[in-house]
Amino acid sequence: MSAADGSLASSWPVAPVRSPAVEPRRRLRAVETPAPRRRPKLLYGVIAVLGAFLIAGSQMVLSIMTTQTSYELSTLEKTQRALTYDKQILYDEVAGLSSPQYLAANAAALGMVIDESPSYLRLSDGKVLGAEATSNGSTSIDAIGRGVVPNSLVESTPLVTAPDATIEGAPVLAADPSAVSDTPLPVTDGLPTPSTH
């Protein structure tokens, strides 16, 4: 060890060793009187109760509104179904009234005749090509009396041009409530059996 090392060792201060500090023991003592307990303020209780009532009331209002909305939706769906059925009925009526049979029957009621041999008009000079038009105004095709293919949509519909006639040629009869209908009578006791005697 050199002198320089010894001077360095003497320049470092050495801390004295201390013993752990001993804390004085706490002394127990009796509490004189407990502090008076504070009563909760009445305002806080009122606010809590009102808040609970408001939450319950809003839930009831939302439930009633949801139920009312579901009833309205059900009513609107029934109305939409009824309108869809009405629309389909109107489409069927329009299809029947625009059928060629109904149009031909209305034309025949106006006095128009169907030419059995068609003629054509040439536009350049106005000449009629084909068989000549019938001069007496008669035809063998009867649009009112007999339809080639029966059309059940308009067979009982009165003609526009002749309200007393239908496409089948029969006059239109007023609806008689005592008339016999095509529907069978309801069965009241047992199965219906044919009478054999």
Side-chain angles (χ1 to χ4, degrees), residues 115 117-134:
D115 191 8
S117 58
S119 304
Y120 301 98
L121 178 65
R122 187 167 49 199
L123 294 177
S124 62
D125 59 356
K127 185 175 179 183
V128 177
L129 302 174
E132 292 297 323
T134 56

Side-chain angles (χ1 to χ4, degrees), residues 66-168:
T66 304
T67 305
Q68 181 66 27
T69 304
S70 66
Y71 283 129
E72 288 176 3
L73 283 175
S74 174
T75 304
L76 289 175
E77 286 173 357
K78 286 179 185 176
T79 305
Q80 182 182 9
R81 245 181 274 129
L83 289 175
T84 302
Y85 293 148
D86 290 344
K87 181 174 98 173
Q88 186 62 42
I89 289 170
L90 290 175
Y91 276 147
D92 290 345
E93 288 179 4
V94 167
L97 293 176
S98 64
S99 69
Q101 292 166 326
Y102 191 73
L103 294 175
N106 278 311
L110 282 174
M112 299 176 83
V113 294
I114 299 172
D115 191 8
E116 294 177 11
S117 58
S119 304
Y120 301 98
L121 178 65
R122 187 167 49 199
L123 294 177
S124 62
D125 59 356
K127 185 175 179 183
V128 177
L129 302 174
E132 292 297 323
T134 56
S135 59
N136 59 2
S138 64
T139 180
S140 62
I141 299 174
D142 186 11
I144 296 178
R146 59 176 174 84
V148 178
V149 177
N151 189 345
S152 62
L153 292 175
V154 290
E155 66 184 359
S156 61
T157 305
L159 299 177
V160 176
T161 54
D164 297 336
T166 63
I167 196 169
E168 295 298 322

